[in-house]
Amino acid sequence: MSTKTAQPTLDDISKRIVELLQEDGRRPYAEIAREVGLSEAAARQRVQRMTEAGIIQIVAVTDPMQLGFHRMSMIGIRVSGDPRAIAEELTEIPELAYVVVTLGTFDILVEAVCEDDAHLIDLIATRIRTIPGVAHTESLLYAGLYKDLYNWGTR
């Protein structure tokens, strides 16, 4: 996901559709249509347009621990030069679920989802630190996941 300069404008109906899908991404279009006062076809078309525009994604959110990924870590990365190019390169690494350029102590933060400690150290040593411009990494190992929500609503 890249940053965009212009924010798409959503009307109140589209915003409500987003909120309904945040509650349950498998909600039937007929139910969405009833909630927002549209036909089922119109609700389906709005969801399709928002998906194609990159406004929403409908995905299954999993618990990594239950799928065999027992080591999660936030990794702070300091770079020399423009962090945006390195961030783009980091997006190609499948184990990185989250990549963001920051304006603080670190230039980039990434979230790694790995099978175990050996997998994490291999990821950092051979795939992150070898990227030209990466100067320093610092790992914050997750000891427990207490909240991970995606239903923050719309504006």
Side-chain angles (χ1 to χ4, degrees), residues 23-37:
E23 291 170 10
D24 179 1
R26 293 177 40 171
R27 188 182 303 265
Y29 288 112
E31 186 180 321
I32 292 170
R34 274 194 307 279
E35 283 276 337
V36 300

Side-chain angles (χ1 to χ4, degrees), residues 2-66:
S2 63
T3 37
K4 295 181 175 140
T5 52
Q7 277 189 300
T9 304
L10 298 180
D11 64 14
D12 290 339
I13 292 173
S14 291
K15 288 178 183 179
R16 182 66 184 134
I17 290 171
V18 170
E19 290 166 354
L20 290 168
L21 289 169
Q22 284 178 325
E23 291 170 10
D24 179 1
R26 293 177 40 171
R27 188 182 303 265
Y29 288 112
E31 186 180 321
I32 292 170
R34 274 194 307 279
E35 283 276 337
V36 300
L38 293 175
S39 70
E40 184 176 343
R44 183 184 315 272
Q45 287 173 345
R46 281 190 186 232
V47 170
Q48 183 176 348
R49 281 196 306 266
M50 288 188 288
T51 302
E52 289 171 355
I55 296 167
I56 62 172
Q57 290 180 353
I58 300 173
V59 299
V61 178
T62 61
D63 178 350
M65 295 291 272
Q66 293 190 43

Side-chain angles (χ1 to χ4, degrees), residues 101-113:
V101 172
T102 65
L103 300 174
T105 303
F106 297 106
D107 300 303
I108 301 169
L109 286 175
V110 299
E111 183 179 47
V113 180

